[in-house]
Short mmCIF file of all heavy atoms in Angstrom, two decimals:
data_model
loop_
_atom_site.label_atom_id
_atom_site.label_comp_id
_atom_site.label_asym_id
_atom_site.label_seq_id
_atom_site.Cartn_x
_atom_site.Cartn_y
_atom_site.Cartn_z
N SER A 6 0.82 -1.21 -0.01
CA SER A 6 -0.01 0.00 0.00
C SER A 6 0.85 1.25 0.01
O SER A 6 0.37 2.34 -0.32
CB SER A 6 -0.93 0.02 1.22
OG SER A 6 -0.21 0.00 2.42
N ASP A 7 2.14 1.13 0.36
CA ASP A 7 3.06 2.29 0.30
C ASP A 7 3.35 2.60 -1.15
O ASP A 7 3.39 1.72 -2.02
CB ASP A 7 4.36 1.98 1.01
CG ASP A 7 4.13 1.68 2.49
OD1 ASP A 7 3.20 2.27 3.06
OD2 ASP A 7 4.90 0.89 3.06
N CYS A 8 3.60 3.88 -1.41
CA CYS A 8 4.01 4.32 -2.75
C CYS A 8 5.36 5.03 -2.66
O CYS A 8 5.46 6.04 -1.96
CB CYS A 8 2.97 5.26 -3.33
SG CYS A 8 1.30 4.56 -3.51
N VAL A 9 6.33 4.49 -3.35
CA VAL A 9 7.68 5.08 -3.37
C VAL A 9 8.11 5.23 -4.81
O VAL A 9 8.05 4.27 -5.60
CB VAL A 9 8.66 4.19 -2.59
CG1 VAL A 9 10.08 4.73 -2.68
CG2 VAL A 9 8.26 4.04 -1.14
N ILE A 10 8.59 6.43 -5.18
CA ILE A 10 8.99 6.72 -6.54
C ILE A 10 10.36 7.41 -6.50
O ILE A 10 10.64 8.21 -5.62
CB ILE A 10 7.99 7.66 -7.27
CG1 ILE A 10 6.57 7.16 -7.07
CG2 ILE A 10 8.31 7.78 -8.72
CD1 ILE A 10 5.52 8.17 -7.50
N GLY A 11 11.21 7.13 -7.49
CA GLY A 11 12.49 7.80 -7.60
C GLY A 11 12.87 8.01 -9.05
O GLY A 11 12.50 7.19 -9.93
N LEU A 12 13.58 9.07 -9.32
CA LEU A 12 14.14 9.31 -10.67
C LEU A 12 15.47 10.02 -10.55
O LEU A 12 15.72 10.79 -9.64
CB LEU A 12 13.15 10.09 -11.55
CG LEU A 12 12.74 11.50 -11.17
CD1 LEU A 12 13.71 12.56 -11.75
CD2 LEU A 12 11.35 11.82 -11.69
N CYS A 13 16.36 9.70 -11.50
CA CYS A 13 17.73 10.18 -11.52
C CYS A 13 17.94 11.10 -12.68
O CYS A 13 17.84 10.69 -13.84
CB CYS A 13 18.70 8.98 -11.57
SG CYS A 13 20.42 9.40 -11.42
N GLY A 14 18.17 12.40 -12.42
CA GLY A 14 18.41 13.38 -13.45
C GLY A 14 19.90 13.51 -13.76
O GLY A 14 20.73 12.68 -13.37
N LYS A 15 20.25 14.59 -14.47
CA LYS A 15 21.66 14.74 -14.91
C LYS A 15 22.59 15.10 -13.76
O LYS A 15 23.78 14.78 -13.82
CB LYS A 15 21.73 15.79 -16.02
CG LYS A 15 21.25 17.17 -15.62
CD LYS A 15 21.36 18.12 -16.81
CE LYS A 15 20.86 19.53 -16.46
NZ LYS A 15 20.93 20.44 -17.61
N ASP A 16 22.08 15.78 -12.73
CA ASP A 16 22.93 16.12 -11.60
C ASP A 16 22.17 16.08 -10.27
O ASP A 16 22.51 16.81 -9.33
CB ASP A 16 23.53 17.54 -11.81
CG ASP A 16 22.48 18.60 -12.07
OD1 ASP A 16 21.28 18.26 -12.01
OD2 ASP A 16 22.88 19.73 -12.36
N TYR A 17 21.19 15.23 -10.16
CA TYR A 17 20.38 15.12 -8.95
C TYR A 17 19.61 13.80 -8.97
O TYR A 17 19.48 13.12 -9.99
CB TYR A 17 19.38 16.28 -8.86
CG TYR A 17 18.34 16.21 -9.97
CD1 TYR A 17 17.13 15.54 -9.82
CD2 TYR A 17 18.57 16.84 -11.19
CE1 TYR A 17 16.19 15.46 -10.84
CE2 TYR A 17 17.64 16.75 -12.22
CZ TYR A 17 16.47 16.06 -12.03
OH TYR A 17 15.57 15.98 -13.05
N VAL A 18 19.12 13.43 -7.79
CA VAL A 18 18.20 12.29 -7.66
C VAL A 18 17.02 12.76 -6.83
O VAL A 18 17.21 13.38 -5.77
CB VAL A 18 18.85 11.05 -6.99
CG1 VAL A 18 17.92 9.85 -7.08
CG2 VAL A 18 20.18 10.75 -7.59
N LEU A 19 15.80 12.44 -7.25
CA LEU A 19 14.58 12.78 -6.52
C LEU A 19 13.94 11.50 -6.01
O LEU A 19 13.84 10.53 -6.73
CB LEU A 19 13.61 13.52 -7.42
CG LEU A 19 13.93 14.99 -7.78
CD1 LEU A 19 12.96 15.48 -8.86
CD2 LEU A 19 13.84 15.86 -6.57
N LEU A 20 13.46 11.58 -4.78
CA LEU A 20 12.68 10.47 -4.17
C LEU A 20 11.40 11.04 -3.64
O LEU A 20 11.37 12.12 -3.08
CB LEU A 20 13.46 9.80 -3.05
CG LEU A 20 14.70 8.96 -3.39
CD1 LEU A 20 15.31 8.42 -2.11
CD2 LEU A 20 14.34 7.84 -4.35
N ALA A 21 10.32 10.30 -3.82
CA ALA A 21 9.03 10.68 -3.27
C ALA A 21 8.38 9.46 -2.60
O ALA A 21 8.50 8.34 -3.10
CB ALA A 21 8.10 11.20 -4.37
N ALA A 22 7.76 9.67 -1.47
CA ALA A 22 7.07 8.59 -0.76
C ALA A 22 5.79 9.11 -0.13
O ALA A 22 5.78 10.26 0.37
CB ALA A 22 7.98 7.98 0.31
N ASP A 23 4.75 8.31 -0.12
CA ASP A 23 3.52 8.75 0.54
C ASP A 23 3.74 8.79 2.03
O ASP A 23 4.60 8.10 2.58
CB ASP A 23 2.37 7.79 0.20
CG ASP A 23 2.46 6.48 0.94
OD1 ASP A 23 3.31 5.64 0.58
OD2 ASP A 23 1.69 6.29 1.89
N ALA A 24 3.00 9.64 2.71
CA ALA A 24 3.22 9.87 4.15
C ALA A 24 2.14 9.20 4.98
O ALA A 24 1.89 9.60 6.14
CB ALA A 24 3.21 11.39 4.44
N THR A 25 1.51 8.17 4.46
CA THR A 25 0.44 7.49 5.14
C THR A 25 0.96 6.35 6.01
O THR A 25 1.74 5.51 5.53
CB THR A 25 -0.58 6.93 4.14
OG1 THR A 25 -1.10 8.02 3.37
CG2 THR A 25 -1.74 6.25 4.88
N ALA A 26 0.54 6.28 7.25
CA ALA A 26 0.81 5.14 8.13
C ALA A 26 -0.49 4.54 8.58
O ALA A 26 -1.35 5.25 9.12
CB ALA A 26 1.63 5.60 9.35
N SER A 27 -0.69 3.26 8.31
CA SER A 27 -1.97 2.63 8.59
C SER A 27 -1.78 1.35 9.39
O SER A 27 -0.70 0.75 9.41
CB SER A 27 -2.71 2.32 7.28
OG SER A 27 -1.94 1.42 6.49
N PHE A 28 -2.88 0.94 10.00
CA PHE A 28 -2.93 -0.35 10.70
C PHE A 28 -4.26 -0.99 10.35
O PHE A 28 -5.32 -0.42 10.67
CB PHE A 28 -2.79 -0.18 12.20
CG PHE A 28 -2.96 -1.48 12.97
CD1 PHE A 28 -1.93 -2.40 12.97
CD2 PHE A 28 -4.10 -1.75 13.65
CE1 PHE A 28 -2.05 -3.60 13.67
CE2 PHE A 28 -4.25 -2.92 14.36
CZ PHE A 28 -3.23 -3.87 14.37
N SER A 29 -4.20 -2.11 9.65
CA SER A 29 -5.41 -2.76 9.16
C SER A 29 -6.18 -1.78 8.28
O SER A 29 -5.67 -1.27 7.33
CB SER A 29 -6.24 -3.26 10.34
OG SER A 29 -7.39 -3.97 9.91
N ILE A 30 -7.43 -1.46 8.68
CA ILE A 30 -8.21 -0.52 7.90
C ILE A 30 -8.20 0.89 8.49
O ILE A 30 -8.96 1.76 8.08
CB ILE A 30 -9.66 -1.01 7.78
CG1 ILE A 30 -10.32 -1.09 9.18
CG2 ILE A 30 -9.75 -2.33 7.06
CD1 ILE A 30 -11.80 -1.36 9.14
N ILE A 31 -7.31 1.14 9.46
CA ILE A 31 -7.27 2.39 10.17
C ILE A 31 -6.13 3.24 9.73
O ILE A 31 -4.98 2.79 9.63
CB ILE A 31 -7.15 2.14 11.71
CG1 ILE A 31 -8.30 1.24 12.18
CG2 ILE A 31 -7.14 3.47 12.47
CD1 ILE A 31 -8.11 0.78 13.61
N LEU A 32 -6.38 4.49 9.42
CA LEU A 32 -5.35 5.46 9.11
C LEU A 32 -4.80 6.03 10.45
O LEU A 32 -5.53 6.67 11.20
CB LEU A 32 -5.91 6.63 8.27
CG LEU A 32 -4.96 7.76 7.98
CD1 LEU A 32 -3.78 7.31 7.13
CD2 LEU A 32 -5.68 8.91 7.30
N MET A 33 -3.55 5.74 10.73
CA MET A 33 -2.94 6.16 11.97
C MET A 33 -2.40 7.61 11.90
O MET A 33 -2.53 8.38 12.83
CB MET A 33 -1.79 5.21 12.39
CG MET A 33 -2.21 3.77 12.46
SD MET A 33 -3.50 3.45 13.69
CE MET A 33 -2.56 3.72 15.19
N LYS A 34 -1.76 7.94 10.78
CA LYS A 34 -1.23 9.31 10.60
C LYS A 34 -0.95 9.51 9.11
O LYS A 34 -0.86 8.57 8.36
CB LYS A 34 0.05 9.48 11.40
CG LYS A 34 1.16 8.51 11.00
CD LYS A 34 2.39 8.56 11.93
CE LYS A 34 3.09 9.90 11.87
NZ LYS A 34 4.41 9.85 12.59
N ASP A 35 -0.88 10.79 8.72
CA ASP A 35 -0.57 11.11 7.33
C ASP A 35 0.65 12.01 7.21
O ASP A 35 0.77 12.85 6.34
CB ASP A 35 -1.77 11.78 6.65
CG ASP A 35 -2.17 13.09 7.31
OD1 ASP A 35 -1.51 13.49 8.31
OD2 ASP A 35 -3.13 13.73 6.86
N SER A 36 1.60 11.82 8.15
CA SER A 36 2.83 12.61 8.14
C SER A 36 4.06 11.73 8.39
O SER A 36 5.09 12.18 8.89
CB SER A 36 2.78 13.69 9.23
OG SER A 36 2.56 13.11 10.52
N GLU A 37 3.95 10.44 8.02
CA GLU A 37 5.05 9.49 8.21
C GLU A 37 6.14 9.72 7.14
O GLU A 37 5.85 9.67 5.94
CB GLU A 37 4.53 8.05 8.12
CG GLU A 37 5.60 6.98 8.23
CD GLU A 37 6.03 6.77 9.68
OE1 GLU A 37 5.45 7.44 10.58
OE2 GLU A 37 6.92 5.96 9.89
N ASP A 38 7.36 9.96 7.59
CA ASP A 38 8.49 10.14 6.63
C ASP A 38 9.13 8.80 6.36
O ASP A 38 9.78 8.21 7.22
CB ASP A 38 9.50 11.10 7.25
CG ASP A 38 10.54 11.56 6.23
OD1 ASP A 38 10.59 11.00 5.13
OD2 ASP A 38 11.33 12.46 6.56
N LYS A 39 8.99 8.32 5.12
CA LYS A 39 9.51 7.02 4.71
C LYS A 39 10.82 7.13 3.96
O LYS A 39 11.29 6.16 3.37
CB LYS A 39 8.48 6.27 3.88
CG LYS A 39 7.18 6.03 4.66
CD LYS A 39 6.09 5.44 3.78
CE LYS A 39 4.75 5.31 4.57
NZ LYS A 39 3.68 4.82 3.73
N ILE A 40 11.38 8.35 3.92
CA ILE A 40 12.67 8.59 3.24
C ILE A 40 13.70 8.95 4.32
O ILE A 40 13.63 10.05 4.90
CB ILE A 40 12.56 9.71 2.18
CG1 ILE A 40 11.41 9.40 1.20
CG2 ILE A 40 13.87 9.82 1.42
CD1 ILE A 40 11.17 10.49 0.19
N LEU A 41 14.62 8.08 4.56
CA LEU A 41 15.61 8.25 5.64
C LEU A 41 16.89 8.82 5.07
O LEU A 41 17.40 8.35 4.03
CB LEU A 41 15.87 6.93 6.31
CG LEU A 41 16.75 6.94 7.56
CD1 LEU A 41 16.07 7.66 8.71
CD2 LEU A 41 17.10 5.52 7.98
N LYS A 42 17.44 9.81 5.76
CA LYS A 42 18.75 10.35 5.38
C LYS A 42 19.82 9.46 5.97
O LYS A 42 19.97 9.33 7.18
CB LYS A 42 18.90 11.78 5.92
CG LYS A 42 20.25 12.42 5.60
CD LYS A 42 20.31 13.84 6.15
CE LYS A 42 21.70 14.46 5.86
NZ LYS A 42 21.79 15.85 6.34
N LEU A 43 20.64 8.81 5.09
CA LEU A 43 21.68 7.90 5.54
C LEU A 43 22.93 8.68 5.95
O LEU A 43 23.56 8.39 6.95
CB LEU A 43 22.02 6.89 4.48
CG LEU A 43 20.88 5.92 4.13
CD1 LEU A 43 21.35 4.95 3.03
CD2 LEU A 43 20.38 5.14 5.34
N ASP A 44 23.32 9.66 5.13
CA ASP A 44 24.41 10.55 5.49
C ASP A 44 24.25 11.82 4.66
O ASP A 44 23.16 12.10 4.16
CB ASP A 44 25.80 9.88 5.25
CG ASP A 44 26.00 9.38 3.83
OD1 ASP A 44 25.42 9.98 2.88
OD2 ASP A 44 26.70 8.40 3.62
N SER A 45 25.29 12.58 4.49
CA SER A 45 25.16 13.90 3.86
C SER A 45 24.76 13.85 2.40
O SER A 45 24.30 14.84 1.85
CB SER A 45 26.48 14.68 4.01
OG SER A 45 27.54 13.99 3.37
N ASN A 46 24.96 12.69 1.72
CA ASN A 46 24.64 12.65 0.31
C ASN A 46 23.83 11.41 -0.12
O ASN A 46 23.79 11.09 -1.31
CB ASN A 46 25.94 12.71 -0.52
CG ASN A 46 26.80 11.47 -0.35
OD1 ASN A 46 26.72 10.80 0.68
ND2 ASN A 46 27.63 11.18 -1.32
N LYS A 47 23.25 10.69 0.83
CA LYS A 47 22.50 9.49 0.50
C LYS A 47 21.10 9.51 1.18
O LYS A 47 20.96 9.94 2.32
CB LYS A 47 23.22 8.23 0.94
CG LYS A 47 24.54 7.97 0.27
CD LYS A 47 25.11 6.64 0.72
CE LYS A 47 26.57 6.51 0.31
NZ LYS A 47 27.42 7.46 1.05
N LEU A 48 20.11 9.02 0.42
CA LEU A 48 18.73 8.89 0.93
C LEU A 48 18.27 7.49 0.68
O LEU A 48 18.61 6.87 -0.35
CB LEU A 48 17.82 9.88 0.21
CG LEU A 48 18.06 11.38 0.44
CD1 LEU A 48 17.22 12.21 -0.55
CD2 LEU A 48 17.74 11.77 1.86
#
């Protein structure tokens, strides 16, 4: 049910992820960050 999209341009990379967190049929929150910063230049 999660949606994650990425594309690589000529000098950048973009990532997008939905912010929905759910449990069964219940919406728990709509501000969940599913893109983690690994270090200064990696996501």
Side-chain angles (χ1 to χ4, degrees):
S6 61
D7 299 328
C8 299
V9 176
I10 312 168
L12 63 88
C13 186
K15 60 181 179 180
D16 55 5
Y17 65 90
V18 189
L19 287 171
L20 290 179
D23 75 286
T25 301
S27 61
F28 176 74
S29 183
I30 61 172
I31 303 170
L32 175 64
M33 306 298 291
K34 60 188 295 191
D35 61 0
S36 58
E37 177 78 2
D38 190 351
K39 300 174 184 176
I40 306 175
L41 187 66
K42 179 179 179 179
L43 296 180
D44 57 31
S45 60
N46 68 334
K47 296 184 194 68
L48 295 169

